Amino acid sequence: MLAQTGRGRWYLRGVQTAVSVPGLILASAFIGFAGLAKESGLTLGQAVFMTGFVWALPAKVVLIGAILSGASLPAAALAVALSSIRLTPMVVALVPELKGPRTPKWVLYFLSHFVAVTSWVLAMERLSRIPREMRTTYYAGLGSTLLLVNVAVVACVFLLAENMSPLVSAALFLLTPMYFLTSLWGSARERAGHVAMVMGLVLGPVFHALWPGFDLLAAGLCGGLGAYAYHRLSRRRALS
């Protein structure tokens, strides 16, 4: 009974973490997404389903773009998969922090669904101060709250989107990438992370002009490789 009470307390702490400024910024971005989904011709059920099962906001935007362009189902699936590859390093970094000595694998697989930039940044900032046996419970509270709140936000705004200015929707939608950038910059543990972000910001417009459609992939690949080269060079200099 005590163990159950302790887990309930840590779950609620995860819920409290989700109810924060980053969580509010994410919710504001989903307001913009709801407006985009409405304007794109999606139904309420489709928008809510995408929010709950795709979850990562950029992947949903990519999916809507593929639908509007008339892309085939395999092409749309590939586009969404490519946009979600960026989450793989986050999962790889987060799972060892969550895993306890007796944590079932299915729990880790389930919690991986909640991994996105907001939940990842909030969790990585706080997990070191949480008992290891309670980390999965804490992250379940954090991730599930973010997801369920934004499912409700999308459902409510979708029904009220006709009264919202497109300019306001676009402005709210742009809050998320700004938050992502500032959060990732502040949470970067090594200078190589900053190098990757700067290279991505510089190379993104360049590749957009030279290779539209693959600009994000190319900028991310070059930025990541450049940051890795910088990291290796820095380590060699430190050892010499």
Side-chain angles (χ1 to χ4, degrees):
M1 187 68 178
L2 291 176
Q4 293 296 326
T5 303
R7 290 195 177 278
R9 183 169 65 250
W10 282 106
Y11 182 90
L12 290 177
R13 289 194 180 185
V15 173
Q16 292 173 354
T17 302
V19 183
S20 58
V21 172
L24 290 175
I25 293 175
L26 182 63
S28 69
F30 272 91
I31 293 175
F33 165 75
L36 174 65
K38 178 79 171 181
E39 292 297 323
S40 301
L42 270 66
T43 65
L44 173 61
Q46 290 169 338
V48 169
F49 180 85
M50 288 174 64
T51 303
F53 286 87
V54 179
W55 181 219
L57 190 55
K60 290 194 286 292
V61 176
V62 169
L63 180 56
I64 289 179
I67 294 172
L68 293 178
S69 66
S72 64
L73 181 59
L78 178 61
V80 172
L82 289 175
S83 73
S84 299
I85 287 176
R86 64 192 172 83
L87 300 176
T88 303
M90 296 182 185
V91 175
V92 171
L94 181 63
V95 166
E97 298 293 328
L98 293 176
K99 187 178 181 180
R102 294 180 294 179
T103 304
K105 290 185 178 180
W106 70 265
V107 173
L108 298 175
Y109 294 145
F110 174 73
L111 294 179
S112 295
H113 176 67
F114 299 120
V115 174
V117 174
T118 301
S119 61
W120 186 84
V121 169
L122 290 174
M124 294 298 286
E125 288 177 349
R126 293 165 173 78
L127 284 178
S128 61
R129 302 190 295 271
I130 298 171
R132 183 165 289 274
E133 64 274 12
M134 296 297 174
R135 291 182 182 181
T136 52
T137 303
Y138 171 84
Y139 187 72
L142 169 61
S144 63
T145 300
L146 288 174
L147 187 147
L148 293 175
V149 165
N150 285 292
V151 166
V153 166
V154 168
C156 293
V157 175
F158 194 93
L159 298 174
L160 303 173
E162 295 179 356
N163 300 322
M164 184 178 297
S165 167
L167 184 61
V168 173
S169 296
L172 291 170
F173 190 76
L174 286 175
L175 282 176
T176 291
M178 294 301 298
Y179 164 69
F180 286 172
L181 180 62
T182 55
S183 297
L184 290 174
W185 184 276
S187 63
R189 299 179 180 179
E190 297 181 353
R191 183 63 62 183
H194 295 157
V195 172
M197 282 184 273
V198 171
M199 290 187 66
L201 289 172
V202 172
L203 293 175
V206 175
F207 281 115
H208 180 71
L210 298 177
W211 201 9
F214 295 91
D215 46 354
L216 292 179
L217 179 62
L221 182 61
C222 292
L225 290 175
Y228 177 73
Y230 173 84
H231 176 70
R232 292 295 300 270
L233 183 61
S234 299
R235 290 189 61 182
R236 287 183 181 179
R237 289 179 178 178
L239 294 175
S240 62

PDB file of all heavy atoms in Angstrom, residues 212-227:
ATOM      1  N   PRO A 212      15.170  22.189 -52.103  1.00  0.00           N
ATOM      2  CA  PRO A 212      13.879  22.229 -51.403  1.00  0.00           C
ATOM      3  C   PRO A 212      13.226  20.850 -51.350  1.00  0.00           C
ATOM      4  O   PRO A 212      13.293  20.088 -52.301  1.00  0.00           O
ATOM      5  CB  PRO A 212      13.055  23.209 -52.242  1.00  0.00           C
ATOM      6  CG  PRO A 212      13.704  23.223 -53.581  1.00  0.00           C
ATOM      7  CD  PRO A 212      15.161  22.984 -53.346  1.00  0.00           C
ATOM      8  N   GLY A 213      12.622  20.574 -50.222  1.00  0.00           N
ATOM      9  CA  GLY A 213      12.020  19.262 -50.024  1.00  0.00           C
ATOM     10  C   GLY A 213      12.908  18.348 -49.198  1.00  0.00           C
ATOM     11  O   GLY A 213      12.421  17.446 -48.509  1.00  0.00           O
ATOM     12  N   PHE A 214      14.226  18.558 -49.281  1.00  0.00           N
ATOM     13  CA  PHE A 214      15.164  17.770 -48.492  1.00  0.00           C
ATOM     14  C   PHE A 214      16.053  18.684 -47.654  1.00  0.00           C
ATOM     15  O   PHE A 214      17.105  18.273 -47.181  1.00  0.00           O
ATOM     16  CB  PHE A 214      16.034  16.908 -49.412  1.00  0.00           C
ATOM     17  CG  PHE A 214      15.283  15.853 -50.168  1.00  0.00           C
ATOM     18  CD1 PHE A 214      14.757  16.117 -51.418  1.00  0.00           C
ATOM     19  CD2 PHE A 214      15.075  14.606 -49.612  1.00  0.00           C
ATOM     20  CE1 PHE A 214      14.053  15.148 -52.117  1.00  0.00           C
ATOM     21  CE2 PHE A 214      14.365  13.629 -50.291  1.00  0.00           C
ATOM     22  CZ  PHE A 214      13.858  13.900 -51.559  1.00  0.00           C
ATOM     23  N   ASP A 215      15.628  19.944 -47.501  1.00  0.00           N
ATOM     24  CA  ASP A 215      16.462  20.923 -46.820  1.00  0.00           C
ATOM     25  C   ASP A 215      16.694  20.587 -45.351  1.00  0.00           C
ATOM     26  O   ASP A 215      17.825  20.657 -44.859  1.00  0.00           O
ATOM     27  CB  ASP A 215      15.859  22.320 -46.961  1.00  0.00           C
ATOM     28  CG  ASP A 215      14.363  22.332 -46.679  1.00  0.00           C
ATOM     29  OD1 ASP A 215      13.782  21.242 -46.497  1.00  0.00           O
ATOM     30  OD2 ASP A 215      13.784  23.431 -46.644  1.00  0.00           O
ATOM     31  N   LEU A 216      15.631  20.193 -44.634  1.00  0.00           N
ATOM     32  CA  LEU A 216      15.781  19.871 -43.216  1.00  0.00           C
ATOM     33  C   LEU A 216      16.665  18.646 -43.011  1.00  0.00           C
ATOM     34  O   LEU A 216      17.510  18.616 -42.110  1.00  0.00           O
ATOM     35  CB  LEU A 216      14.407  19.641 -42.582  1.00  0.00           C
ATOM     36  CG  LEU A 216      13.506  20.875 -42.465  1.00  0.00           C
ATOM     37  CD1 LEU A 216      12.181  20.488 -41.838  1.00  0.00           C
ATOM     38  CD2 LEU A 216      14.180  21.965 -41.659  1.00  0.00           C
ATOM     39  N   LEU A 217      16.468  17.642 -43.853  1.00  0.00           N
ATOM     40  CA  LEU A 217      17.279  16.428 -43.741  1.00  0.00           C
ATOM     41  C   LEU A 217      18.746  16.736 -44.002  1.00  0.00           C
ATOM     42  O   LEU A 217      19.633  16.302 -43.252  1.00  0.00           O
ATOM     43  CB  LEU A 217      16.766  15.373 -44.725  1.00  0.00           C
ATOM     44  CG  LEU A 217      17.519  14.040 -44.749  1.00  0.00           C
ATOM     45  CD1 LEU A 217      17.423  13.355 -43.397  1.00  0.00           C
ATOM     46  CD2 LEU A 217      16.956  13.129 -45.838  1.00  0.00           C
ATOM     47  N   ALA A 218      19.018  17.500 -45.053  1.00  0.00           N
ATOM     48  CA  ALA A 218      20.402  17.817 -45.403  1.00  0.00           C
ATOM     49  C   ALA A 218      21.054  18.702 -44.342  1.00  0.00           C
ATOM     50  O   ALA A 218      22.213  18.475 -43.946  1.00  0.00           O
ATOM     51  CB  ALA A 218      20.448  18.512 -46.762  1.00  0.00           C
ATOM     52  N   ALA A 219      20.316  19.703 -43.855  1.00  0.00           N
ATOM     53  CA  ALA A 219      20.865  20.591 -42.831  1.00  0.00           C
ATOM     54  C   ALA A 219      21.126  19.834 -41.536  1.00  0.00           C
ATOM     55  O   ALA A 219      22.164  20.035 -40.882  1.00  0.00           O
ATOM     56  CB  ALA A 219      19.910  21.758 -42.579  1.00  0.00           C
ATOM     57  N   GLY A 220      20.215  18.944 -41.170  1.00  0.00           N
ATOM     58  CA  GLY A 220      20.415  18.147 -39.960  1.00  0.00           C
ATOM     59  C   GLY A 220      21.583  17.204 -40.073  1.00  0.00           C
ATOM     60  O   GLY A 220      22.379  17.048 -39.129  1.00  0.00           O
ATOM     61  N   LEU A 221      21.729  16.571 -41.242  1.00  0.00           N
ATOM     62  CA  LEU A 221      22.831  15.638 -41.445  1.00  0.00           C
ATOM     63  C   LEU A 221      24.174  16.370 -41.396  1.00  0.00           C
ATOM     64  O   LEU A 221      25.108  15.929 -40.706  1.00  0.00           O
ATOM     65  CB  LEU A 221      22.660  14.929 -42.787  1.00  0.00           C
ATOM     66  CG  LEU A 221      23.714  13.870 -43.139  1.00  0.00           C
ATOM     67  CD1 LEU A 221      23.707  12.753 -42.119  1.00  0.00           C
ATOM     68  CD2 LEU A 221      23.456  13.315 -44.536  1.00  0.00           C
ATOM     69  N   CYS A 222      24.265  17.486 -42.108  1.00  0.00           N
ATOM     70  CA  CYS A 222      25.523  18.244 -42.127  1.00  0.00           C
ATOM     71  C   CYS A 222      25.826  18.852 -40.761  1.00  0.00           C
ATOM     72  O   CYS A 222      26.976  18.840 -40.308  1.00  0.00           O
ATOM     73  CB  CYS A 222      25.466  19.341 -43.185  1.00  0.00           C
ATOM     74  SG  CYS A 222      25.423  18.727 -44.880  1.00  0.00           S
ATOM     75  N   GLY A 223      24.790  19.361 -40.099  1.00  0.00           N
ATOM     76  CA  GLY A 223      24.999  19.928 -38.778  1.00  0.00           C
ATOM     77  C   GLY A 223      25.438  18.890 -37.764  1.00  0.00           C
ATOM     78  O   GLY A 223      26.342  19.135 -36.957  1.00  0.00           O
ATOM     79  N   GLY A 224      24.827  17.706 -37.823  1.00  0.00           N
ATOM     80  CA  GLY A 224      25.216  16.633 -36.913  1.00  0.00           C
ATOM     81  C   GLY A 224      26.629  16.141 -37.152  1.00  0.00           C
ATOM     82  O   GLY A 224      27.402  15.929 -36.207  1.00  0.00           O
ATOM     83  N   LEU A 225      26.977  15.960 -38.424  1.00  0.00           N
ATOM     84  CA  LEU A 225      28.336  15.517 -38.746  1.00  0.00           C
ATOM     85  C   LEU A 225      29.365  16.581 -38.359  1.00  0.00           C
ATOM     86  O   LEU A 225      30.451  16.255 -37.862  1.00  0.00           O
ATOM     87  CB  LEU A 225      28.441  15.204 -40.239  1.00  0.00           C
ATOM     88  CG  LEU A 225      27.687  13.956 -40.720  1.00  0.00           C
ATOM     89  CD1 LEU A 225      27.765  13.837 -42.235  1.00  0.00           C
ATOM     90  CD2 LEU A 225      28.266  12.695 -40.061  1.00  0.00           C
ATOM     91  N   GLY A 226      29.012  17.857 -38.591  1.00  0.00           N
ATOM     92  CA  GLY A 226      29.923  18.928 -38.201  1.00  0.00           C
ATOM     93  C   GLY A 226      30.131  18.981 -36.702  1.00  0.00           C
ATOM     94  O   GLY A 226      31.256  19.174 -36.215  1.00  0.00           O
ATOM     95  N   ALA A 227      29.053  18.801 -35.933  1.00  0.00           N
ATOM     96  CA  ALA A 227      29.162  18.808 -34.478  1.00  0.00           C
ATOM     97  C   ALA A 227      29.966  17.611 -33.978  1.00  0.00           C
ATOM     98  O   ALA A 227      30.752  17.729 -33.030  1.00  0.00           O
ATOM     99  CB  ALA A 227      27.760  18.802 -33.857  1.00  0.00           C
TER     100      ALA A 227
END
